[in-house]
Amino acid sequence: MLEEAVEHARRQHTRRRVEEVLGRFRAGRVGTDRPTDAVEGVPAPAEAAREHRIDTLLIRPDGTDLACETWVGGAPDKVAVRRSDVQNLGENDPSPVRADDAPLRAAAVTTADVLIVPPPEGDGADVPAGGLGALLRWAYEPTAVRRRRTASRSKALDVRCVERPSMTLRAAEWLPRC
């Protein structure tokens, strides 16, 4: 009887946790024209892993993109979709791995949560595209949007730091880090 009660409580807790995370994921997945709190696919989670931005990694075991190839170096944050990108990070001999292995390795090192998302019910719109996604520690602004916005502004413009909104940086200080 106690074992059944514990199992029932565990299933309820897991269901609530999955619902909560997927709710945050849906809310954070707003498109590519403004900063987002969630990313999906293969390239965006790989970039988030490289930059230690993954708060919760979402993996759907039946995802179509999980078997895609990504490249890693010796350190967990040496992750990229292309071999040449990892070499540009200073790795001489990168190794190919599955798309879900690289962010999972980075998540373990950065103490990010990992959530295995159950198979979708219905159309599967609530799960990460391709089976891989992440909730981020701080907002993500796609590089193309960041470049477009900063190119249209003066270099003397003050920019609010996305990681720490209370911190203001001069654009000349901020741009080299992007």
Side-chain angles (χ1 to χ4, degrees), residues 3-51:
E3 290 174 3
E4 291 174 6
V6 169
E7 181 60 24
H8 178 70
R10 186 194 64 78
R11 274 190 261 129
Q12 281 186 322
H13 172 76
T14 301
R15 183 181 49 78
R16 280 193 309 269
R17 174 76 173 133
V18 168
E19 288 174 2
E20 172 201 344
V21 170
L22 289 179
R24 287 180 47 214
F25 183 79
R26 284 190 300 269
R29 185 176 61 172
V30 294
T32 59
D33 61 340
R34 62 183 206 225
T36 63
D37 294 321
V39 294
E40 60 188 333
V42 175
E47 181 180 343
R50 184 173 56 249
E51 297 174 354

Coordinates of all heavy atoms in Angstrom, one line a residue, residues 3-51:
E3 N 4.0 1.5 -1.1 CA 4.6 1.6 -2.3 C 3.7 2.2 -3.4 O 4.2 3.0 -4.3 CB 5.2 0.2 -2.8 CG 6.3 -0.3 -1.9 CD 6.7 -1.7 -2.2 OE1 6.1 -2.3 -3.2 OE2 7.5 -2.3 -1.5
E4 N 2.5 1.8 -3.4 CA 1.5 2.3 -4.4 C 1.3 3.8 -4.2 O 1.3 4.6 -5.1 CB 0.2 1.6 -4.3 CG 0.2 0.2 -4.7 CD -1.1 -0.5 -4.5 OE1 -2.1 0.1 -4.0 OE2 -1.1 -1.8 -4.7
A5 N 1.2 4.3 -2.9 CA 1.0 5.7 -2.6 C 2.3 6.5 -3.1 O 2.1 7.6 -3.6 CB 0.8 5.9 -1.1
V6 N 3.5 5.9 -2.8 CA 4.7 6.6 -3.2 C 4.8 6.7 -4.7 O 5.1 7.8 -5.3 CB 5.9 5.9 -2.6 CG1 7.2 6.4 -3.3 CG2 6.0 6.0 -1.1
E7 N 4.4 5.6 -5.4 CA 4.5 5.6 -6.9 C 3.4 6.6 -7.5 O 3.7 7.4 -8.4 CB 4.2 4.2 -7.4 CG 4.2 4.1 -8.9 CD 5.5 4.5 -9.6 OE1 6.6 4.4 -8.9 OE2 5.5 4.9 -10.7
H8 N 2.3 6.7 -6.9 CA 1.2 7.6 -7.3 C 1.7 9.1 -7.1 O 1.5 9.9 -8.0 CB -0.1 7.4 -6.5 CG -1.2 8.3 -6.9 ND1 -1.8 8.3 -8.1 CD2 -1.7 9.4 -6.2 CE1 -2.7 9.3 -8.1 NE2 -2.7 9.9 -7.0
A9 N 2.3 9.4 -5.9 CA 2.8 10.7 -5.7 C 3.9 11.1 -6.6 O 4.0 12.2 -7.1 CB 3.3 10.8 -4.2
R10 N 4.8 10.1 -6.9 CA 5.9 10.3 -7.9 C 5.4 10.7 -9.2 O 5.8 11.6 -9.9 CB 6.8 9.1 -7.9 CG 8.1 9.4 -8.8 CD 8.8 8.1 -9.1 NE 8.0 7.2 -10.0 CZ 7.8 7.4 -11.3 NH1 8.4 8.4 -11.9 NH2 7.1 6.5 -12.0
R11 N 4.4 9.9 -9.7 CA 3.8 10.2 -11.0 C 3.1 11.6 -11.1 O 3.2 12.3 -12.1 CB 2.8 9.1 -11.4 CG 3.5 7.9 -12.1 CD 2.5 6.9 -12.7 NE 2.4 5.9 -11.7 CZ 1.2 5.4 -11.2 NH1 0.1 5.9 -11.5 NH2 1.2 4.4 -10.3
Q12 N 2.4 11.9 -10.0 CA 1.8 13.2 -10.0 C 2.8 14.4 -10.0 O 2.6 15.4 -10.7 CB 0.9 13.4 -8.7 CG -0.4 12.7 -8.9 CD -1.3 13.0 -7.6 OE1 -0.8 13.1 -6.5 NE2 -2.6 13.2 -7.9
H13 N 3.8 14.2 -9.2 CA 4.9 15.2 -9.2 C 5.6 15.4 -10.5 O 5.8 16.5 -11.0 CB 5.9 14.9 -8.1 CG 7.1 15.8 -8.2 ND1 7.1 17.1 -7.7 CD2 8.4 15.6 -8.7 CE1 8.3 17.6 -7.9 NE2 9.1 16.7 -8.5
T14 N 5.9 14.3 -11.2 CA 6.5 14.3 -12.5 C 5.6 14.9 -13.5 O 6.0 15.8 -14.3 CB 6.8 12.8 -13.0 OG1 7.7 12.3 -12.0 CG2 7.4 12.8 -14.3
R15 N 4.3 14.6 -13.5 CA 3.3 15.2 -14.4 C 3.2 16.7 -14.2 O 3.3 17.5 -15.2 CB 1.9 14.6 -14.3 CG 0.9 15.1 -15.3 CD -0.5 14.5 -15.0 NE -0.9 14.5 -13.7 CZ -1.5 15.5 -13.1 NH1 -1.6 16.7 -13.7 NH2 -1.9 15.5 -11.8
R16 N 3.2 17.2 -13.0 CA 3.1 18.6 -12.7 C 4.4 19.3 -13.2 O 4.3 20.4 -13.7 CB 2.9 18.9 -11.2 CG 1.4 18.7 -10.8 CD 1.2 19.2 -9.4 NE 2.1 18.8 -8.4 CZ 1.9 17.7 -7.6 NH1 0.8 17.0 -7.7 NH2 2.8 17.3 -6.7
R17 N 5.5 18.7 -12.9 CA 6.8 19.3 -13.3 C 6.9 19.4 -14.8 O 7.3 20.5 -15.4 CB 8.0 18.4 -12.8 CG 9.3 18.8 -13.2 CD 9.8 20.1 -12.5 NE 11.2 20.3 -12.9 CZ 11.7 21.5 -13.3 NH1 10.9 22.5 -13.3 NH2 12.9 21.6 -13.7
V18 N 6.5 18.4 -15.6 CA 6.5 18.4 -17.0 C 5.6 19.5 -17.5 O 5.9 20.3 -18.4 CB 6.2 17.0 -17.6 CG1 5.9 17.2 -19.1 CG2 7.3 16.0 -17.4
E19 N 4.4 19.6 -17.0 CA 3.4 20.6 -17.4 C 3.9 22.0 -17.1 O 3.8 22.9 -17.9 CB 2.1 20.4 -16.6 CG 1.3 19.2 -17.2 CD 0.0 18.9 -16.3 OE1 -0.3 19.7 -15.4 OE2 -0.6 17.9 -16.6
E20 N 4.6 22.2 -15.9 CA 5.1 23.5 -15.6 C 6.2 23.9 -16.6 O 6.2 25.0 -17.1 CB 5.7 23.5 -14.2 CG 6.5 24.8 -13.8 CD 7.4 24.5 -12.7 OE1 7.3 23.5 -11.9 OE2 8.3 25.4 -12.5
V21 N 7.2 23.0 -16.8 CA 8.3 23.3 -17.7 C 7.8 23.6 -19.1 O 8.2 24.5 -19.8 CB 9.3 22.2 -17.7 CG1 10.4 22.4 -18.8 CG2 10.0 22.2 -16.3
L22 N 6.9 22.7 -19.6 CA 6.3 22.9 -21.0 C 5.6 24.2 -21.1 O 5.6 24.9 -22.1 CB 5.5 21.7 -21.4 CG 6.3 20.4 -21.7 CD1 5.3 19.3 -22.1 CD2 7.3 20.7 -22.8
G23 N 4.9 24.6 -20.0 CA 4.2 25.9 -20.0 C 5.2 27.1 -20.1 O 5.0 28.0 -20.9
R24 N 6.3 27.0 -19.4 CA 7.3 28.0 -19.5 C 8.0 28.0 -20.9 O 8.3 29.0 -21.4 CB 8.4 27.8 -18.4 CG 7.9 28.2 -17.0 CD 9.0 27.9 -15.9 NE 10.3 28.5 -16.3 CZ 11.5 27.9 -16.0 NH1 11.5 26.8 -15.3 NH2 12.6 28.4 -16.4
F25 N 8.1 26.8 -21.4 CA 8.7 26.7 -22.7 C 7.9 27.3 -23.8 O 8.3 28.1 -24.6 CB 9.0 25.2 -23.0 CG 9.7 25.0 -24.4 CD1 11.0 25.1 -24.5 CD2 9.0 24.6 -25.5 CE1 11.7 25.0 -25.7 CE2 9.6 24.4 -26.7 CZ 11.0 24.6 -26.8
R26 N 6.6 27.0 -23.8 CA 5.6 27.6 -24.7 C 5.6 29.1 -24.6 O 5.6 29.8 -25.6 CB 4.2 27.1 -24.5 CG 4.0 25.7 -25.0 CD 2.5 25.3 -25.0 NE 1.9 25.4 -23.6 CZ 1.9 24.4 -22.8 NH1 2.4 23.2 -23.1 NH2 1.3 24.5 -21.6
A27 N 5.6 29.6 -23.4 CA 5.6 31.1 -23.2 C 6.9 31.7 -23.6 O 6.9 32.8 -24.1 CB 5.4 31.4 -21.7
G28 N 8.0 31.0 -23.5 CA 9.3 31.6 -23.9 C 9.7 31.5 -25.3 O 10.6 32.1 -25.8
R29 N 9.0 30.6 -26.0 CA 9.2 30.4 -27.4 C 8.4 31.3 -28.3 O 7.3 31.0 -28.8 CB 8.8 28.9 -27.7 CG 9.1 28.4 -29.1 CD 8.8 27.0 -29.2 NE 7.4 26.7 -29.0 CZ 6.8 25.6 -29.2 NH1 7.5 24.5 -29.6 NH2 5.5 25.4 -28.9
V30 N 8.9 32.6 -28.5 CA 8.1 33.6 -29.1 C 8.5 34.0 -30.5 O 7.9 34.8 -31.1 CB 8.1 34.9 -28.2 CG1 7.5 34.7 -26.9 CG2 9.6 35.4 -28.0
G31 N 9.5 33.4 -31.0 CA 9.9 33.7 -32.4 C 11.3 34.2 -32.5 O 12.1 34.3 -31.5
T32 N 11.8 34.6 -33.7 CA 13.2 35.0 -33.9 C 13.4 36.5 -34.0 O 14.5 36.9 -34.2 CB 13.7 34.3 -35.1 OG1 12.9 34.8 -36.2 CG2 13.7 32.8 -35.0
D33 N 12.3 37.3 -33.8 CA 12.5 38.7 -34.0 C 12.7 39.5 -32.7 O 12.7 40.7 -32.7 CB 11.3 39.3 -34.8 CG 10.0 39.1 -34.1 OD1 9.9 38.2 -33.2 OD2 9.1 39.8 -34.4
R34 N 12.7 38.8 -31.6 CA 12.9 39.5 -30.3 C 13.5 38.5 -29.3 O 13.5 37.3 -29.5 CB 11.7 40.1 -29.7 CG 10.6 39.1 -29.5 CD 9.3 39.9 -29.0 NE 8.5 39.0 -28.2 CZ 7.2 38.9 -28.3 NH1 6.6 39.6 -29.2 NH2 6.5 38.1 -27.6
P35 N 14.1 38.9 -28.2 CA 14.7 38.0 -27.2 C 13.7 36.9 -26.7 O 12.6 37.2 -26.5 CB 15.1 38.9 -26.1 CG 15.3 40.3 -26.7 CD 14.2 40.3 -27.8
T36 N 14.2 35.7 -26.6 CA 13.4 34.6 -26.1 C 14.0 34.0 -24.9 O 15.2 34.1 -24.6 CB 13.3 33.6 -27.2 OG1 14.5 33.0 -27.5 CG2 12.7 34.1 -28.5
D37 N 13.1 33.3 -24.1 CA 13.6 32.5 -22.9 C 13.7 31.0 -23.2 O 14.0 30.3 -22.3 CB 12.6 32.8 -21.8 CG 12.6 34.2 -21.3 OD1 13.6 34.8 -21.3 OD2 11.5 34.7 -21.0
A38 N 13.4 30.6 -24.4 CA 13.5 29.2 -24.8 C 14.0 29.1 -26.2 O 13.7 29.9 -27.1 CB 12.1 28.6 -24.6
V39 N 14.7 28.0 -26.5 CA 15.2 27.7 -27.8 C 14.9 26.2 -28.1 O 14.8 25.4 -27.2 CB 16.7 28.0 -28.0 CG1 16.9 29.5 -27.8 CG2 17.5 27.2 -26.9
E40 N 14.9 25.9 -29.4 CA 14.7 24.5 -29.8 C 15.4 24.2 -31.1 O 15.9 25.2 -31.8 CB 13.2 24.3 -29.9 CG 12.5 25.1 -30.9 CD 11.0 25.0 -30.9 OE1 10.5 23.9 -30.4 OE2 10.3 26.0 -31.2
G41 N 15.4 23.0 -31.5 CA 16.1 22.6 -32.7 C 17.5 22.0 -32.3 O 17.7 21.5 -31.2
V42 N 18.4 22.1 -33.2 CA 19.8 21.7 -32.9 C 20.8 22.9 -32.7 O 21.5 23.0 -31.7 CB 20.3 20.7 -33.9 CG1 21.8 20.4 -33.6 CG2 19.5 19.5 -33.9
P43 N 20.8 23.9 -33.6 CA 21.8 24.9 -33.5 C 21.6 25.8 -32.2 O 22.6 26.1 -31.6 CB 21.6 25.8 -34.7 CG 20.9 24.9 -35.7 CD 20.1 23.9 -34.9
A44 N 20.4 26.2 -31.9 CA 20.2 27.1 -30.8 C 20.6 26.5 -29.4 O 21.3 27.1 -28.6 CB 18.8 27.7 -30.8
P45 N 20.1 25.3 -29.1 CA 20.6 24.6 -27.9 C 22.1 24.4 -27.8 O 22.7 24.5 -26.8 CB 19.8 23.3 -27.8 CG 18.6 23.6 -28.6 CD 19.0 24.5 -29.7
A46 N 22.7 24.1 -29.0 CA 24.2 23.9 -29.0 C 24.9 25.3 -28.6 O 25.8 25.3 -27.9 CB 24.6 23.5 -30.4
E47 N 24.4 26.4 -29.2 CA 24.9 27.7 -28.8 C 24.7 28.0 -27.4 O 25.6 28.5 -26.7 CB 24.3 28.8 -29.7 CG 24.9 30.1 -29.4 CD 24.2 31.2 -30.3 OE1 23.6 30.9 -31.3 OE2 24.4 32.4 -29.9
A48 N 23.5 27.7 -26.9 CA 23.2 27.9 -25.4 C 24.1 27.1 -24.5 O 24.6 27.6 -23.5 CB 21.7 27.6 -25.2
A49 N 24.4 25.9 -25.0 CA 25.3 25.0 -24.2 C 26.7 25.6 -24.2 O 27.4 25.6 -23.1 CB 25.3 23.6 -24.8
R50 N 27.1 26.1 -25.3 CA 28.5 26.7 -25.4 C 28.6 27.9 -24.5 O 29.7 28.1 -24.0 CB 28.8 27.0 -26.9 CG 30.1 27.5 -27.1 CD 30.4 27.7 -28.6 NE 29.5 28.6 -29.3 CZ 28.6 28.2 -30.3 NH1 28.6 26.9 -30.6 NH2 27.8 29.0 -30.8
E51 N 27.5 28.6 -24.3 CA 27.6 29.9 -23.6 C 27.0 29.7 -22.1 O 26.8 30.6 -21.4 CB 26.7 30.9 -24.3 CG 27.4 31.3 -25.6 CD 26.5 32.2 -26.5 OE1 25.4 32.5 -26.0 OE2 27.0 32.6 -27.5

